[in-house]
């Protein structure tokens, strides 16, 4: 009902100061209109101008795109050959992407709340349609037939007293209804303006995210090109890894065979063992954080066991299922499932070597990272993996991109259409609870 009243008020306003000038303008236009014979002569000129404007817009867009590409190419060229600076730029960009994705989530939530508030106001107005119709009718009648004045004629005195008594009973309620209507219409307008501002902010965040993703892709491509391993050898390793994945019955068997039969993976395992032998244990939390902030490191900054409480979740989003939760089949979850944004960036939780990257059974796209000392990290459910076999990745470095929906067969039971990332920690081939490793601010997001 309130929406109808709002419409009546709006029509009343439009019918006032703006209706007559519009009509007058229409009359003037008609009176001073160009003869029909002149219209065909101007039509080609209008089409030509419109086409010219469209060409100018396309040129401007192409120039903008070209400028962005040149800027990215210049940034990447400046980093060429400097691995530490390349890693640092990649990590910084990954942080900005993660922050922008978080801002997008918050903006979308605010838009959802504004939409619900607008719906509540509309429902309230609709529910009071009959009451407000009576209020408006009463106001109209009062305007057309005002009550008689007391000091006019003696025979009007009785009618004046009766009118005053009726008005005294009706006007307070009428005023209350009018005030409520005005406040709700004002709230409706405020929500409309807030929604418009939030949509503009959301559009700007999406443009910023697109720029940061383009920069991330360019940096990842440059890092791939800088890898020492030959393309032919890498292609052969990938083929052999795919064959092993087809033969392996489970993840444990896959990892064991990869580390004995694939040279890139075997080399990664050997480097992990050497790193463990060279690393000192312990150190303060400040020292461990400082070690993880060196972008030029070629081995884990701290032993994985000592990284507890320091690691960030690989992607922003809520935890849909935690480690140890009921898996729906009478067992317990061996990892955790995170609901993510569409095409969200996935980062490596920890330093480590990539020992598998590709599809594997119900896991979909599976990434396995050897974190050293018998620890492995499994990431599954991505649409695209952006790292290669044998590559050393840093904590926070982009390693994949989510798709537009669930990629895991087992994710169907979660009852959500959003992309889902599965994360599993393993120690000597057995699944372990990853919770102690997450930074406090991240672990607080776990639900259920």
């Amino acid at each position: 009902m309130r929406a109808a009243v709002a419409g009546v008020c709006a029509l009343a306003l439009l019918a006032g100061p703006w209706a007559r000038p519009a009509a007058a303008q229409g009359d003037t236009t008609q009176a001073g209109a160009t003869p029909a014979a002149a219209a065909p002569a101007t039509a080609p000129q209008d089409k030509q101008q419109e086409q010219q404007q469209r060409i100018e817009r396309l040129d401007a867009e192409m120039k903008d795109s070209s400028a962005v590409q040149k800027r990215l190419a210049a940034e990447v060229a400046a980093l060429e050959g400097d691995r530490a600076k390349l890693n640092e730029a990649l990590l910084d960009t990954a942080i900005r992407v993660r922050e922008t994705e978080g801002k997008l989530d918050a903006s979308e939530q605010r838009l959802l709340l504004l939409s619900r508030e607008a719906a509540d106001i509309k429902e309230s107005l609709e529910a009071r349609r009959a009451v407000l119709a009576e209020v408006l009718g009463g106001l109209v009648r009062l305007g057309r037939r005002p009550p008689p004045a007391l000091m006019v004629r003696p025979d009007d005195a009785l009618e004046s007293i009766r009118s005053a008594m009726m008005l005294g009973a009706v006007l307070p309620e009428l005023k209350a209804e009018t005030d409520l209507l005005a406040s709700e219409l004002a709230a409706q307008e405020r929500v409309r303006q807030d929604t418009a501002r939030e949509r503009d902010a959301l559009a700007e965040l999406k443009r910023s995210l697109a720029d940061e993703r383009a920069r991330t892709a360019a940096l990842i491509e440059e890092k791939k090109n800088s890898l020492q391993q030959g393309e032919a050898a890498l292609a052969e390793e990938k083929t052999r890894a795919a064959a092993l994945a087809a033969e392996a019955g489970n993840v444990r068997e896959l990892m064991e065979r990869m580390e004995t039969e694939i040279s890139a993976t075997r080399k990664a395992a050997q480097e992990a063992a050497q790193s463990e032998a060279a690393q000192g244990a312990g150190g303060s939390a400040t020292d461990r954080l400082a070690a993880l902030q060196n972008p030029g490191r070629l081995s884990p900054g701290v032993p994985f066991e000592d990284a507890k409480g320091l690691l960030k979740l690989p992607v922003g989003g809520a935890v849909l299922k935690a480690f140890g939760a009921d898996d729906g089949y009478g067992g317990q979850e061996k990892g955790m499932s995170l609901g993510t944004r569409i095409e969200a960036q996935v980062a490596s939780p920890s330093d480590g070597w990539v020992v598998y990257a590709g599809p594997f059974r119900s896991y979909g796209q599976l990434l396995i990272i050897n974190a050293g000392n018998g620890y492995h990290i499994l990431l599954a459910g991505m649409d695209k993996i952006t790292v290669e076999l044998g590559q050393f990745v840093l904590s926070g470095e982009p390693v994949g991109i989510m798709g537009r929906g669930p990629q895991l067969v087992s994710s169907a039971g979660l009852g959500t259409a959003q992309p889902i990332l599965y994360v599993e920690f393993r120690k000597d081939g057995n699944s372990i609870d990853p919770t102690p490793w997450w930074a406090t601010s991240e672990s607080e997001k776990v639900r259920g």
Side-chain angles (χ1 to χ4, degrees), residues 151-436:
M151 302 303 293
V152 178
R153 295 195 307 271
D155 55 347
D156 285 337
L158 183 58
E159 185 177 355
S160 297
I161 293 172
R162 288 175 177 171
S163 297
M165 292 173 64
M166 291 179 62
L167 288 174
V170 172
L171 282 179
E173 184 178 354
L174 194 63
K175 184 178 185 303
E177 291 290 344
T178 304
D179 290 343
L180 181 58
L181 173 62
S183 66
E184 290 188 338
L185 291 176
Q188 191 175 49
E189 176 63 17
R190 175 187 57 78
V191 169
R192 187 191 65 78
Q193 293 178 359
D194 289 348
T195 301
R197 283 193 295 269
E198 199 62 50
R199 282 177 178 161
D200 290 342
L202 186 62
E204 181 60 32
L205 284 171
K206 287 182 177 179
R207 285 192 292 269
S208 175
L209 181 60
D211 291 343
E212 294 296 345
R213 282 177 173 171
R215 189 167 187 267
T216 301
L219 291 169
I220 288 174
E221 188 63 29
E222 174 59 23
K223 184 165 184 178
K224 280 185 179 180
N225 294 337
S226 67
L227 293 176
Q228 299 299 317
Q229 194 170 16
E231 292 183 5
L234 182 59
E236 184 178 347
E237 295 277 78
K238 287 181 178 178
T239 302
R240 178 61 179 150
L244 287 179
E247 297 171 3
N250 53 50
V251 173
R252 178 194 284 268
E253 182 182 349
L254 174 64
M255 289 191 296
E256 290 175 351
R257 295 193 61 181
M258 288 284 293
E259 292 187 354
T260 57
E261 301 184 33
I262 303 297
S263 61
T265 304
R266 186 169 61 250
K267 181 182 177 183
Q270 292 171 353
E271 290 178 344
Q274 293 171 1
S275 174
E276 295 158 17
Q279 283 174 337
S284 67
T286 303
D287 293 338
R288 286 179 285 159
L289 280 173
L292 290 174
Q293 290 172 355
N294 174 20
R297 60 189 184 275
L298 292 172
S299 62
V302 296
F304 190 77
E305 181 69 28
D306 295 334
K308 290 182 178 179
L310 301 178
L311 305 185
K312 294 182 179 179
L313 288 175
V315 70
V319 177
L320 303 179
K321 277 196 174 182
F323 175 85
D326 181 11
D327 64 0
Y329 301 98
Q332 293 181 324
E333 291 289 337
K334 296 182 178 180
M336 56 191 299
S337 298
L338 297 161
T340 77
R341 291 186 57 82
I342 291 175
E343 297 180 349
Q345 171 188 275
V346 181
S348 174
S350 169
D351 294 350
W353 289 267
V354 176
V355 294
Y356 184 77
F360 183 71
R361 302 190 177 277
S362 63
Y363 285 87
Q365 289 291 329
L366 173 65
L367 178 68
I368 303 177
I369 298 172
N370 184 343
N373 198 26
Y375 288 97
H376 289 82
I377 298 174
L378 280 63
L379 302 174
M382 294 167 285
D383 182 65
K384 181 180 179 182
I385 295 175
T386 57
V387 290
E388 304 286 358
L389 273 176
Q391 181 178 339
F392 178 74
V393 294
L394 304 177
S395 176
E397 180 177 339
V399 294
I401 300 172
M402 299 301 293
R404 305 189 67 83
Q407 300 284 325
L408 297 171
V409 174
S410 60
S411 66
L414 291 174
T416 177
Q418 69 184 133
I420 298 170
L421 180 71
Y422 176 76
V423 184
E424 183 178 335
F425 283 13
R426 287 187 171 228
K427 169 64 173 172
D428 298 328
N430 299 312
S431 301
I432 60 173
D433 185 3
T435 305

